[in-house]
Amino acid sequence: MRETQSRQVVIAGAGVAGLTAALAFAERGYSVKLFEQAQHLEAVGAGIQLSPNATRILRQLGVLDRLMPNAVRPEAVVLKDAATLRELARVPLGHAAETRWGAPYLVAHRADLQAALMQRAAERPEIELVTGARVGSAATGPHGITATIESAGTTVETAAFLLIGADGVWSSVREKLARKEADFVRSRFSGELAWRATVGAGSPAGQAFAAVGAPYCVTAFLHPGFHMVAYPVRRGTAFNLAAFTKGERIAEGWSGHANPASFACAMRGTAPALVRLAGEAAPWTAWPIHTVEQRRWTTREGIALIGDAAHAMTPFAAQGAAMAIEDAATLAGFVAASPADLEGALAAWEQARRPRVAQVARRGAINRLAWHAAGPVAMARNLFLAMRSSEKLTADLDWLYGWRMPDGGAR
């Protein structure tokens, strides 16, 4: 394999996963070509929570300082009963989180995170970003990978030793692998819809949230039919609202259309002030929550899937972005640590990541059950939370937020 090709990485997708991977490989001296099929990068999903396991990596990559001016460091995660608005539990964040876990817990607008990643990527001469281009196919051989790039009606080929599919839950890279190998699977609709809205802090909706929530916290309202998470973004000038209900499958994408009556129905029995907030925040944008079963993420020939392309999960642990960031950084670390054995490096990376991602997915499933509990189960949940101190609730998260890069994935 030619030396230039042996140091060339091709990445499909310029979202959080792809940009983080580009930076992580560039930090280790690799040349990166990053292809994004959209003509203009658009941040979807509105708000995003970044726990210390993610911000620690962003700091190492030189991204955190660019994000901080537009992010918010919430004081706590607060759980409230949606029917009574009674506080059920509080997990301190803010300075306490940074002291305990060595990095801040942040909430931000996804566009601000993407802008910070883009700014840092633009400073790295090793990274070439091409928009309006997609990876159409990839041929593997003894000398690496030849990726076919489709752009503006033309097709060109580019050679690399590693192709990374960072193109999200509806990954075209994974789709092509799934057509050939049973170990790669398509995404599956989870039966859940997410509803989102971003409202100005001074708007009627913002004032309605301030009356029922904790403006400088991440507030989760729990109810058998749905739950809603709200927190400040854009330096506190706006609030991100995200609600989750069961629902029928709608068109794939981040800006789908669903019957708002189903949202209103799910909110039956909630506090009038919370219903008023939902009304003031309208119109809500719905999107279907799809998941990807954890099967296989890499090939022997040099293709790797990261983030949602590999293992999209429900958002109930607020770890989707964090897992993508961890994937990207650790993949670069494992590959750089074994430059003469790409196959072994990819296998070792996947083996190391699987238990971690599975544990996070289980935490999300437990949260979903607890937050939508009803009757005696809800009573037991409330009693458990009442008896568990903030210190113990915080300690329960050490395994998640205190995670650090393994030795094999260190710089």
Side-chain angles (χ1 to χ4, degrees):
M1 186 184 299
R2 296 189 302 273
E3 176 61 23
T4 54
Q5 183 174 334
S6 70
R7 303 292 295 179
Q8 179 72 62
V9 179
V10 168
I11 302 175
V16 172
L19 286 166
T20 304
L23 289 169
F25 274 95
E27 285 278 311
R28 293 163 173 83
Y30 290 91
S31 176
V32 180
K33 289 186 177 180
L34 185 59
F35 297 99
E36 169 55 50
Q37 63 180 351
Q39 289 288 349
H40 305 284
L41 293 181
E42 297 179 357
V44 296
I48 190 169
Q49 298 186 56
L50 295 167
S51 48
N53 48 307
T55 59
R56 186 179 298 111
I57 294 172
L58 295 178
R59 183 170 56 200
Q60 293 168 351
L61 295 176
V63 176
L64 191 59
D65 287 345
R66 292 160 178 78
L67 174 62
M68 287 294 291
N70 294 312
V72 176
R73 193 179 312 205
E75 297 171 355
V77 172
V78 178
L79 304 182
K80 289 194 171 190
D81 187 305
T84 64
L85 299 182
R86 178 170 65 92
E87 184 173 312
L88 302 174
R90 178 179 292 254
V91 179
L93 295 177
H95 179 69
E98 189 159 3
T99 299
R100 185 181 189 103
W101 295 306
Y105 192 113
L106 301 178
V107 288
H109 196 286
R110 188 177 289 264
D112 293 331
L113 172 58
Q114 189 156 303
L117 288 163
M118 286 288 294
Q119 290 169 15
R120 183 60 178 145
E123 297 169 353
R124 302 298 312 227
E126 304 93 338
I127 299 174
E128 177 186 356
L129 171 62
V130 182
T131 58
R134 65 188 296 271
V135 177
S137 62
T140 59
H143 301 295
I145 294 174
T146 301
T148 300
I149 311 302
E150 301 170 355
S151 177
T154 63
T155 300
V156 297
E157 292 184 345
T158 186
F161 84 102
L162 175 63
L163 168 63
I164 300 174
D167 47 348
V169 64
W170 297 294
S171 168
S172 62
V173 175
R174 189 188 66 246
E175 172 70 20
K176 291 178 177 61
L177 291 172
R179 294 174 188 170
K180 300 178 181 178
E181 302 183 48
D183 286 343
F184 294 94
V185 296
R186 294 175 173 85
S187 65
R188 179 183 63 84
F189 177 53
S190 67
E192 305 266 354
L193 296 180
W195 305 77
R196 60 182 172 91
T198 303
V199 301
S203 69
Q207 294 171 6
F209 168 66
V212 299
Y216 295 100
C217 297
V218 177
T219 307
F221 300 94
L222 313 186
H223 183 269
F226 87 115
H227 79 272
M228 181 190 299
V229 179
Y231 49 82
V233 294
R234 294 278 162 88
R235 303 178 302 280
T237 62
F239 294 114
N240 176 76
L241 308 177
F244 304 90
T245 70
K246 291 184 178 180
E248 298 296 327
R249 183 170 182 168
I250 60 176
E252 295 180 357
W254 294 107
S255 298
H257 299 281
N259 186 354
S262 64
F263 185 16
C265 182
M267 291 191 69
R268 287 177 182 170
T270 59
L274 196 57
V275 175
R276 184 162 56 252
L277 166 60
E280 293 285 2
W284 294 72
T285 300
W287 79 90
I289 298 175
H290 280 237
T291 60
V292 176
E293 183 182 352
Q294 287 193 43
R295 288 282 189 88
R296 186 174 164 197
W297 305 342
T298 62
T299 71
R300 298 176 58 184
E301 296 79 12
I303 300 176
L305 304 174
I306 64 173
D308 283 353
H311 47 66
M313 60 185 70
T314 57
F316 306 133
Q319 285 292 302
M323 289 301 100
I325 291 168
E326 286 186 14
D327 280 354
T330 53
L331 177 62
F334 272 88
V335 170
S338 301
D341 183 14
L342 178 62
E343 180 182 343
L346 294 181
W349 169 77
E350 184 171 345
Q351 183 178 17
R353 288 297 294 160
R354 279 189 174 280
R356 167 78 171 168
V357 173
Q359 188 176 13
V360 171
R362 287 194 297 271
R363 176 63 185 235
I366 292 171
N367 285 351
R368 200 265 176 214
L369 289 173
W371 293 351
H372 291 216
V377 177
M379 293 176 62
R381 173 201 67 198
N382 295 350
L383 180 61
F384 171 83
L385 292 173
M387 295 177 61
R388 201 155 184 82
S389 67
S390 292
E391 169 59 29
K392 289 183 178 179
L393 290 172
T394 302
D396 289 342
L397 295 167
D398 284 344
W399 69 272
L400 181 55
Y401 299 162
W403 177 92
R404 282 172 168 76
M405 291 269 288
D407 291 340
R411 288 174 57 186

